[in-house]
Coordinates of all heavy atoms in Angstrom, one line a residue:
M19 N -46.0 16.9 -9.5 CA -46.0 15.4 -9.3 C -46.0 15.0 -7.8 O -45.1 15.5 -7.1 CB -44.7 14.9 -10.0 CG -45.0 14.4 -11.3 SD -43.9 13.1 -11.7 CE -42.6 13.5 -12.5
P20 N -46.8 14.2 -7.5 CA -46.8 13.7 -6.1 C -45.6 12.7 -5.8 O -45.3 11.9 -6.7 CB -48.1 13.0 -5.9 CG -48.6 12.6 -7.2 CD -48.0 13.6 -8.2
V21 N -45.0 12.8 -4.7 CA -43.9 12.0 -4.4 C -44.4 10.7 -3.6 O -45.1 10.9 -2.7 CB -42.9 12.7 -3.5 CG1 -41.7 11.8 -3.1 CG2 -42.3 13.9 -4.2
A22 N -44.0 9.6 -4.1 CA -44.4 8.3 -3.5 C -43.6 8.1 -2.3 O -42.3 8.2 -2.3 CB -44.3 7.2 -4.5
P23 N -44.1 7.6 -1.2 CA -43.3 7.3 0.0 C -42.4 6.1 -0.2 O -42.8 5.2 -1.0 CB -44.3 7.1 1.1 CG -45.6 6.7 0.4 CD -45.5 7.4 -0.9
E24 N -41.3 6.1 0.4 CA -40.3 5.0 0.4 C -41.0 3.8 1.0 O -41.5 3.9 2.1 CB -39.0 5.3 1.1 CG -38.2 6.3 0.4 CD -37.3 5.6 -0.6 OE1 -36.9 4.5 -0.5 OE2 -37.1 6.3 -1.7
P25 N -40.9 2.6 0.4 CA -41.4 1.4 1.1 C -40.5 1.0 2.3 O -39.3 1.3 2.2 CB -41.4 0.3 0.0 CG -40.4 0.8 -1.0 CD -40.4 2.3 -0.9
P26 N -41.1 0.4 3.3 CA -40.2 0.0 4.4 C -39.2 -1.1 4.0 O -39.5 -1.8 3.1 CB -41.3 -0.5 5.4 CG -42.5 -0.9 4.6 CD -42.5 0.0 3.4
P27 N -38.1 -1.1 4.7 CA -37.1 -2.1 4.3 C -37.7 -3.6 4.5 O -38.5 -3.8 5.4 CB -36.0 -1.9 5.3 CG -36.4 -0.9 6.3 CD -37.7 -0.3 5.8
V28 N -37.2 -4.5 3.7 CA -37.7 -5.9 3.8 C -37.1 -6.6 4.9 O -37.7 -7.4 5.6 CB -37.4 -6.6 2.4 CG1 -37.8 -8.0 2.5 CG2 -38.1 -5.9 1.3
F29 N -35.8 -6.4 5.1 CA -35.1 -7.1 6.2 C -34.3 -6.1 7.0 O -33.5 -5.3 6.4 CB -34.1 -8.1 5.6 CG -33.3 -8.9 6.6 CD1 -33.9 -9.9 7.4 CD2 -32.0 -8.5 6.9 CE1 -33.2 -10.5 8.3 CE2 -31.3 -9.2 7.9 CZ -31.9 -10.2 8.6
V30 N -34.4 -6.1 8.3 CA -33.7 -5.2 9.1 C -33.0 -6.1 10.2 O -33.7 -6.9 10.8 CB -34.6 -4.2 9.8 CG1 -33.8 -3.3 10.8 CG2 -35.3 -3.3 8.8
D31 N -31.7 -5.9 10.4 CA -31.0 -6.7 11.4 C -30.4 -5.7 12.4 O -29.3 -5.2 12.3 CB -29.8 -7.4 10.7 CG -29.1 -8.3 11.7 OD1 -29.6 -8.6 12.8 OD2 -28.0 -8.7 11.3
P32 N -31.2 -5.3 13.4 CA -30.7 -4.3 14.3 C -29.5 -4.8 15.2 O -28.8 -4.0 15.7 CB -31.9 -4.0 15.2 CG -32.8 -5.2 15.1 CD -32.5 -5.8 13.7
S33 N -29.4 -6.1 15.4 CA -28.3 -6.5 16.3 C -26.9 -6.6 15.5 O -25.9 -6.5 16.2 CB -28.6 -8.0 16.8 OG -28.6 -8.9 15.7
G34 N -26.9 -6.7 14.2 CA -25.7 -6.7 13.4 C -25.0 -8.0 13.4 O -23.9 -8.1 12.9
R35 N -25.7 -9.1 13.9 CA -25.1 -10.4 13.9 C -24.9 -10.9 12.5 O -23.8 -11.6 12.2 CB -26.0 -11.4 14.7 CG -25.9 -11.1 16.2 CD -26.8 -12.0 17.0 NE -26.9 -13.3 16.5 CZ -27.8 -14.2 16.9 NH1 -28.7 -13.8 17.8 NH2 -27.9 -15.4 16.4
R36 N -25.8 -10.7 11.6 CA -25.7 -11.3 10.3 C -24.5 -10.6 9.6 O -23.7 -11.3 8.9 CB -27.0 -11.0 9.4 CG -26.8 -11.5 8.0 CD -28.1 -11.2 7.2 NE -29.0 -12.3 7.6 CZ -29.7 -12.9 6.7 NH1 -29.7 -12.6 5.5 NH2 -30.5 -13.9 7.1
R37 N -24.3 -9.3 9.7 CA -23.2 -8.6 9.1 C -21.9 -9.1 9.6 O -20.9 -9.3 8.9 CB -23.4 -7.1 9.3 CG -22.3 -6.3 8.6 CD -22.5 -4.8 8.8 NE -21.4 -4.1 8.1 CZ -21.4 -2.8 8.0 NH1 -22.4 -2.1 8.5 NH2 -20.4 -2.2 7.4
R38 N -21.8 -9.3 10.9 CA -20.6 -9.8 11.6 C -20.3 -11.2 11.1 O -19.1 -11.5 10.8 CB -20.8 -9.8 13.1 CG -19.7 -9.2 13.8 CD -19.8 -9.3 15.4 NE -21.1 -9.6 15.8 CZ -22.0 -8.8 16.4 NH1 -21.7 -7.6 16.7 NH2 -23.2 -9.2 16.9
W39 N -21.3 -12.0 10.9 CA -21.1 -13.4 10.5 C -20.6 -13.4 9.0 O -19.6 -14.1 8.7 CB -22.3 -14.2 10.6 CG -22.2 -15.6 10.2 CD1 -21.7 -16.7 11.0 CD2 -22.5 -16.2 8.9 NE1 -21.7 -17.8 10.3 CE2 -22.2 -17.6 9.0 CE3 -22.9 -15.7 7.7 CZ2 -22.3 -18.4 7.9 CZ3 -23.1 -16.6 6.6 CH2 -22.8 -17.9 6.7
L40 N -21.2 -12.6 8.2 CA -20.8 -12.5 6.8 C -19.4 -11.9 6.6 O -18.6 -12.4 5.8 CB -21.8 -11.7 6.0 CG -23.1 -12.3 5.7 CD1 -24.1 -11.3 5.1 CD2 -23.0 -13.5 4.8
R41 N -19.0 -10.9 7.4 CA -17.7 -10.3 7.4 C -16.7 -11.4 7.8 O -15.6 -11.5 7.1 CB -17.6 -9.1 8.3 CG -16.3 -8.4 8.2 CD -16.1 -7.3 9.1 NE -17.1 -6.3 8.7 CZ -17.5 -5.2 9.4 NH1 -17.0 -5.1 10.6 NH2 -18.4 -4.4 9.0
R42 N -16.9 -12.1 8.9 CA -15.9 -13.2 9.3 C -15.8 -14.3 8.2 O -14.7 -14.7 8.0 CB -16.4 -13.8 10.6 CG -16.2 -12.9 11.8 CD -16.6 -13.5 13.0 NE -16.5 -12.6 14.2 CZ -17.1 -12.7 15.3 NH1 -17.9 -13.7 15.5 NH2 -17.0 -11.8 16.3
T43 N -16.9 -14.7 7.6 CA -16.9 -15.7 6.6 C -16.0 -15.2 5.4 O -15.2 -15.9 4.8 CB -18.3 -16.0 6.1 OG1 -19.0 -16.5 7.3 CG2 -18.2 -17.1 5.1
A44 N -16.3 -13.9 5.0 CA -15.5 -13.3 3.9 C -14.0 -13.2 4.2 O -13.2 -13.5 3.3 CB -16.1 -11.9 3.5
Y45 N -13.7 -12.9 5.4 CA -12.3 -12.8 5.8 C -11.6 -14.2 5.7 O -10.5 -14.3 5.3 CB -12.1 -12.2 7.2 CG -12.2 -10.7 7.3 CD1 -12.7 -10.1 8.4 CD2 -11.9 -9.9 6.2 CE1 -12.8 -8.7 8.5 CE2 -12.1 -8.5 6.3 CZ -12.5 -7.9 7.4 OH -12.7 -6.6 7.5
F46 N -12.4 -15.2 6.2 CA -11.8 -16.5 6.2 C -11.6 -17.0 4.8 O -10.6 -17.6 4.5 CB -12.8 -17.5 6.9 CG -12.4 -18.9 6.8 CD1 -11.3 -19.4 7.6 CD2 -13.0 -19.8 6.0 CE1 -10.9 -20.7 7.5 CE2 -12.6 -21.1 5.9 CZ -11.6 -21.6 6.6
L47 N -12.6 -16.8 3.9 CA -12.4 -17.2 2.5 C -11.3 -16.5 1.8 O -10.6 -17.0 1.0 CB -13.7 -17.1 1.8 CG -14.9 -18.0 2.2 CD1 -16.2 -17.7 1.5 CD2 -14.5 -19.4 1.9
G48 N -11.2 -15.2 2.1 CA -10.1 -14.4 1.5 C -8.8 -14.9 2.0 O -7.8 -15.0 1.2
L49 N -8.6 -15.2 3.3 CA -7.4 -15.7 3.8 C -7.0 -17.1 3.2 O -5.9 -17.3 2.8 CB -7.5 -15.9 5.3 CG -6.2 -16.4 6.0 CD1 -5.1 -15.4 5.8 CD2 -6.5 -16.6 7.5
A50 N -8.0 -17.9 3.0 CA -7.8 -19.2 2.4 C -7.3 -19.0 0.9 O -6.4 -19.7 0.4 CB -9.1 -20.1 2.4
G51 N -7.9 -18.1 0.2 CA -7.5 -17.8 -1.2 C -6.1 -17.3 -1.2 O -5.3 -17.6 -2.1
V52 N -5.7 -16.4 -0.3 CA -4.4 -15.9 -0.3 C -3.4 -17.0 0.0 O -2.3 -17.0 -0.6 CB -4.3 -14.7 0.7 CG1 -2.8 -14.3 1.0 CG2 -5.0 -13.5 0.2
A53 N -3.7 -17.8 1.0 CA -2.8 -18.9 1.3 C -2.6 -19.9 0.1 O -1.5 -20.3 -0.2 CB -3.3 -19.7 2.5
Y54 N -3.7 -20.2 -0.6 CA -3.6 -21.1 -1.8 C -2.8 -20.4 -2.9 O -1.9 -21.1 -3.5 CB -5.0 -21.4 -2.3 CG -5.0 -22.4 -3.4 CD1 -4.9 -23.7 -3.2 CD2 -5.2 -21.9 -4.7 CE1 -4.9 -24.6 -4.2 CE2 -5.2 -22.8 -5.8 CZ -5.1 -24.1 -5.5 OH -5.1 -25.0 -6.6
T55 N -3.0 -19.1 -3.1 CA -2.2 -18.4 -4.1 C -0.7 -18.4 -3.7 O 0.1 -18.6 -4.6 CB -2.7 -17.0 -4.3 OG1 -4.1 -17.1 -4.6 CG2 -2.0 -16.2 -5.3
A56 N -0.4 -18.2 -2.5 CA 1.0 -18.2 -2.0 C 1.6 -19.6 -2.2 O 2.8 -19.7 -2.7 CB 1.1 -17.8 -0.6
M57 N 0.9 -20.7 -2.0 CA 1.4 -22.0 -2.2 C 1.7 -22.3 -3.6 O 2.7 -22.9 -4.0 CB 0.5 -23.0 -1.6 CG 0.5 -23.1 -0.1 SD -0.7 -24.2 0.7 CE -1.0 -25.5 -0.4
V58 N 0.8 -21.8 -4.5 CA 1.0 -22.0 -5.9 C 2.2 -21.2 -6.4 O 3.0 -21.7 -7.2 CB -0.3 -21.7 -6.7 CG1 0.0 -21.6 -8.2 CG2 -1.4 -22.7 -6.4
G59 N 2.3 -20.0 -5.9 CA 3.4 -19.1 -6.2 C 4.8 -19.8 -5.8 O 5.7 -19.7 -6.6
V60 N 4.8 -20.3 -4.6 CA 6.0 -21.0 -4.2 C 6.3 -22.2 -5.0 O 7.5 -22.5 -5.4 CB 5.9 -21.4 -2.7 CG1 7.0 -22.3 -2.3 CG2 5.9 -20.2 -1.8
S61 N 5.3 -22.9 -5.4 CA 5.6 -24.1 -6.3 C 6.1 -23.7 -7.7 O 7.0 -24.4 -8.2 CB 4.3 -25.0 -6.5 OG 3.4 -24.3 -7.3
F62 N 5.6 -22.6 -8.2 CA 6.1 -22.1 -9.5 C 7.6 -21.6 -9.3 O 8.3 -21.6 -10.3 CB 5.3 -21.0 -10.1 CG 4.0 -21.5 -10.7 CD1 2.8 -20.8 -10.6 CD2 4.0 -22.7 -11.4 CE1 1.6 -21.2 -11.2 CE2 2.8 -23.1 -12.0 CZ 1.7 -22.4 -11.9
A63 N 7.9 -21.1 -8.2 CA 9.2 -20.6 -7.9 C 10.2 -21.7 -7.6 O 11.4 -21.5 -7.5 CB 9.2 -19.6 -6.7
G64 N 9.7 -22.9 -7.5 CA 10.6 -24.0 -7.3 C 10.8 -24.4 -5.8 O 11.7 -25.1 -5.5
G65 N 9.9 -24.0 -5.0 CA 10.0 -24.3 -3.6 C 9.6 -25.7 -3.3 O 9.1 -26.5 -4.2
P66 N 9.8 -26.2 -2.1 CA 9.5 -27.6 -1.7 C 8.0 -27.8 -1.4 O 7.6 -28.0 -0.3 CB 10.3 -27.8 -0.5 CG 10.4 -26.4 0.2 CD 10.4 -25.4 -1.0
V67 N 7.2 -27.7 -2.4 CA 5.7 -27.9 -2.2 C 5.3 -29.2 -3.0 O 5.6 -29.3 -4.2 CB 4.9 -26.7 -2.7 CG1 3.4 -27.0 -2.6 CG2 5.3 -25.5 -1.9
R68 N 4.8 -30.1 -2.3 CA 4.3 -31.4 -3.0 C 3.0 -31.2 -3.7 O 2.2 -30.4 -3.3 CB 4.2 -32.5 -2.0 CG 5.5 -32.8 -1.3 CD 5.4 -34.1 -0.4 NE 4.1 -34.2 0.2 CZ 3.9 -34.1 1.5 NH1 4.9 -33.8 2.3 NH2 2.7 -34.2 2.0
P69 N 2.7 -31.8 -4.8 CA 1.5 -31.7 -5.5 C 0.3 -32.1 -4.7 O -0.8 -31.5 -4.8 CB 1.6 -32.7 -6.7 CG 3.0 -32.9 -6.9 CD 3.7 -32.7 -5.6
E70 N 0.4 -33.0 -3.7 CA -0.7 -33.3 -2.8 C -1.1 -32.2 -2.0 O -2.2 -32.1 -1.5 CB -0.3 -34.5 -1.9 CG 0.1 -35.8 -2.7 CD 1.5 -35.8 -3.0 OE1 2.4 -35.2 -2.3 OE2 1.8 -36.5 -4.0
T71 N -0.2 -31.3 -1.7 CA -0.5 -30.1 -0.9 C -1.3 -29.1 -1.7 O -2.2 -28.4 -1.1 CB 0.8 -29.4 -0.4 OG1 1.6 -30.4 0.3 CG2 0.5 -28.4 0.7
I72 N -1.0 -28.9 -2.9 CA -1.6 -27.9 -3.8 C -3.0 -28.4 -4.2 O -4.0 -27.6 -4.1 CB -0.8 -27.6 -5.0 CG1 0.5 -26.9 -4.5 CG2 -1.5 -26.6 -5.9 CD1 1.5 -26.7 -5.6
I73 N -3.1 -29.6 -4.6 CA -4.4 -30.2 -5.1 C -4.8 -31.2 -4.0 O -4.4 -32.4 -4.1 CB -4.3 -30.8 -6.5 CG1 -3.8 -29.8 -7.4 CG2 -5.7 -31.3 -6.9 CD1 -3.5 -30.3 -8.8
P74 N -5.6 -30.9 -3.1 CA -6.0 -31.8 -2.0 C -6.9 -33.0 -2.5 O -7.6 -32.8 -3.6 CB -6.7 -31.0 -1.0 CG -7.2 -29.8 -1.7 CD -6.3 -29.6 -2.9
F75 N -6.9 -34.1 -1.9 CA -7.8 -35.2 -2.1 C -7.4 -35.9 -3.4 O -8.2 -36.6 -4.0 CB -9.2 -34.9 -2.1 CG -9.6 -34.1 -0.9 CD1 -10.1 -32.8 -1.0 CD2 -9.5 -34.7 0.4 CE1 -10.4 -32.1 0.1 CE2 -9.8 -34.0 1.5 CZ -10.3 -32.7 1.4
V76 N -6.2 -35.8 -3.9 CA -5.7 -36.5 -5.1 C -4.7 -37.5 -4.7 O -3.7 -37.2 -4.0 CB -5.2 -35.6 -6.2 CG1 -4.6 -36.4 -7.3 CG2 -6.2 -34.6 -6.6
E77 N -4.9 -38.8 -4.9 CA -4.0 -39.8 -4.6 C -2.8 -39.8 -5.5 O -3.0 -39.8 -6.7 CB -4.7 -41.2 -4.5 CG -5.8 -41.3 -3.5 CD -6.4 -42.7 -3.5 OE1 -5.8 -43.6 -4.1 OE2 -7.5 -42.8 -3.0
P78 N -1.6 -39.8 -5.0 CA -0.4 -39.8 -5.8 C -0.3 -41.1 -6.6 O -0.6 -42.2 -6.1 CB 0.7 -39.6 -4.9 CG 0.3 -40.0 -3.6 CD -1.2 -39.8 -3.6
V79 N 0.1 -41.1 -7.8 CA 0.3 -42.3 -8.6 C 1.8 -42.7 -8.5 O 2.7 -41.9 -8.9 CB -0.1 -42.0 -10.1 CG1 0.2 -43.2 -10.9 CG2 -1.5 -41.6 -10.2
E80 N 2.0 -43.9 -8.1 CA 3.4 -44.3 -8.0 C 3.7 -45.2 -9.2 O 3.0 -46.3 -9.4 CB 3.6 -45.1 -6.7 CG 3.5 -44.2 -5.5 CD 3.8 -45.0 -4.2 OE1 4.5 -46.0 -4.3 OE2 3.3 -44.6 -3.1
E81 N 4.6 -44.9 -10.0 CA 5.0 -45.7 -11.1 C 6.1 -46.6 -10.7 O 7.1 -46.2 -10.1 CB 5.5 -44.8 -12.3 CG 4.4 -43.8 -12.8 CD 4.9 -43.0 -13.9 OE1 6.0 -43.2 -14.4 OE2 4.2 -42.0 -14.2
Q82 N 6.0 -47.9 -11.1 CA 7.0 -48.8 -10.8 C 8.1 -48.8 -11.9 O 7.8 -48.8 -13.1 CB 6.4 -50.3 -10.8 CG 5.4 -50.5 -9.7 CD 6.0 -50.4 -8.3 OE1 7.2 -50.8 -8.2 NE2 5.3 -50.0 -7.4
W83 N 9.3 -48.7 -11.5 CA 10.4 -48.6 -12.4 C 10.7 -50.0 -13.0 O 10.7 -51.0 -12.4 CB 11.7 -48.1 -11.8 CG 12.9 -48.0 -12.7 CD1 13.1 -47.0 -13.5 CD2 13.9 -49.0 -12.9 NE1 14.3 -47.2 -14.3 CE2 14.7 -48.5 -13.9 CE3 14.2 -50.2 -12.4 CZ2 15.8 -49.1 -14.4 CZ3 15.3 -50.9 -12.9 CH2 16.1 -50.4 -13.8
Q84 N 10.8 -50.1 -14.3 CA 11.1 -51.3 -15.0 C 12.4 -51.1 -15.8 O 12.5 -50.1 -16.5 CB 9.9 -51.7 -15.9 CG 8.7 -51.8 -15.1 CD 7.7 -52.8 -15.7 OE1 8.0 -53.4 -16.8 NE2 6.6 -53.0 -15.1
P85 N 13.2 -52.1 -15.8 CA 14.5 -51.9 -16.6 C 14.2 -51.9 -18.1 O 13.2 -52.5 -18.5 CB 15.3 -53.2 -16.2 CG 14.3 -54.2 -15.7 CD 13.2 -53.4 -15.1
P86 N 15.0 -51.2 -18.8 CA 14.7 -51.2 -20.3 C 14.9 -52.5 -20.9 O 15.7 -53.3 -20.4 CB 15.8 -50.2 -20.8 CG 16.8 -50.1 -19.7 CD 16.1 -50.4 -18.5
S87 N 14.2 -52.8 -22.0 CA 14.3 -54.1 -22.6 C 15.6 -54.2 -23.3 O 16.3 -53.2 -23.6 CB 13.1 -54.3 -23.6 OG 13.3 -53.2 -24.6
A88 N 16.0 -55.4 -23.5 CA 17.3 -55.7 -24.2 C 17.3 -55.1 -25.6 O 16.5 -55.5 -26.4 CB 17.7 -57.2 -24.2
A89 N 18.3 -54.3 -25.9 CA 18.3 -53.6 -27.2 C 19.1 -54.6 -28.2 O 19.9 -55.4 -27.8 CB 19.1 -52.3 -27.1
P90 N 18.7 -54.6 -29.5 CA 19.4 -55.4 -30.4 C 20.9 -55.0 -30.5 O 21.3 -53.9 -30.1 CB 18.7 -55.1 -31.8 CG 18.0 -53.8 -31.6 CD 17.7 -53.7 -30.1
A91 N 21.7 -55.9 -31.0 CA 23.2 -55.7 -31.0 C 23.4 -54.5 -31.9 O 22.9 -54.3 -33.0 CB 23.9 -56.9 -31.7
A92 N 24.2 -53.6 -31.3 CA 24.6 -52.3 -32.0 C 25.6 -52.5 -33.1 O 26.5 -53.3 -33.0 CB 25.1 -51.3 -31.0
S93 N 25.4 -51.8 -34.2 CA 26.3 -51.9 -35.3 C 27.5 -51.0 -34.9 O 27.4 -50.1 -34.1 CB 25.7 -51.4 -36.6 OG 25.3 -50.1 -36.4
P94 N 28.7 -51.3 -35.5 CA 29.9 -50.5 -35.1 C 29.7 -49.0 -35.6 O 29.0 -48.7 -36.5 CB 31.0 -51.1 -35.9 CG 30.4 -52.0 -36.9 CD 29.0 -52.3 -36.5
S95 N 30.2 -48.1 -34.8 CA 30.0 -46.7 -35.1 C 30.8 -46.3 -36.3 O 31.9 -46.9 -36.6 CB 30.5 -45.9 -33.9 OG 31.9 -46.1 -33.7
P96 N 30.4 -45.3 -37.1 CA 31.0 -44.9 -38.3 C 32.4 -44.4 -38.1 O 33.3 -44.6 -38.9 CB 30.2 -43.9 -38.9 CG 28.9 -43.8 -38.1 CD 29.1 -44.7 -36.9
S97 N 32.7 -43.8 -36.9 CA 34.0 -43.3 -36.7 C 35.1 -44.3 -36.5 O 36.2 -44.2 -36.8 CB 34.0 -42.3 -35.5 OG 33.6 -43.0 -34.4
A98 N 34.7 -45.5 -36.0 CA 35.6 -46.6 -35.8 C 36.0 -47.3 -37.1 O 37.1 -47.8 -37.2 CB 35.0 -47.6 -34.8
T99 N 35.2 -47.3 -38.1 CA 35.5 -47.9 -39.3 C 36.2 -47.0 -40.4 O 36.7 -47.5 -41.4 CB 34.2 -48.5 -40.0 OG1 33.3 -47.5 -40.2 CG2 33.7 -49.6 -39.1
A100 N 36.2 -45.7 -40.1 CA 36.7 -44.8 -41.1 C 38.3 -44.9 -41.1 O 38.9 -45.0 -40.1 CB 36.3 -43.4 -40.8
S101 N 38.9 -45.0 -42.3 CA 40.3 -45.1 -42.3 C 40.9 -44.1 -43.3 O 40.3 -43.7 -44.3 CB 40.8 -46.5 -42.7 OG 40.0 -47.3 -43.3

């Protein structure tokens, strides 16, 4: 059987700039992922992490406290009337 020659490479980067750029990008994304995971872990452990820090760009909802409505007159408790 005759051996077919290998085709020449499609892309050659002799300077190595593309590899260096991709490696730095991968390290940055990995570091961001580790930092996010650590923040979530601290929040699960009960640390002082606010929800705005974990989920960015979410506006906090502030609920206004309202006093409870007036309850109807309570009937006497059963223990007070037992004799």
Side-chain angles (χ1 to χ4, degrees):
M19 261 209 260
V21 177
E24 288 277 328
V28 176
F29 178 79
V30 178
D31 184 17
S33 67
R35 286 177 38 194
R36 176 178 283 226
R37 181 177 181 174
R38 226 181 349 250
W39 184 84
L40 288 173
R41 183 181 298 163
R42 287 180 184 161
T43 303
Y45 284 151
F46 174 75
L47 291 175
L49 182 63
V52 167
Y54 184 80
T55 303
M57 287 175 29
V58 170
V60 168
S61 72
F62 283 142
V67 178
R68 297 188 324 249
E70 299 86 29
T71 308
I72 296 174
I73 305 174
F75 310 116
V76 174
E77 295 182 18
V79 177
E80 294 185 23
E81 296 179 16
Q82 296 293 330
W83 180 82
Q84 301 209 359
S87 61
S93 61
S95 63
S97 62
T99 58
S101 19

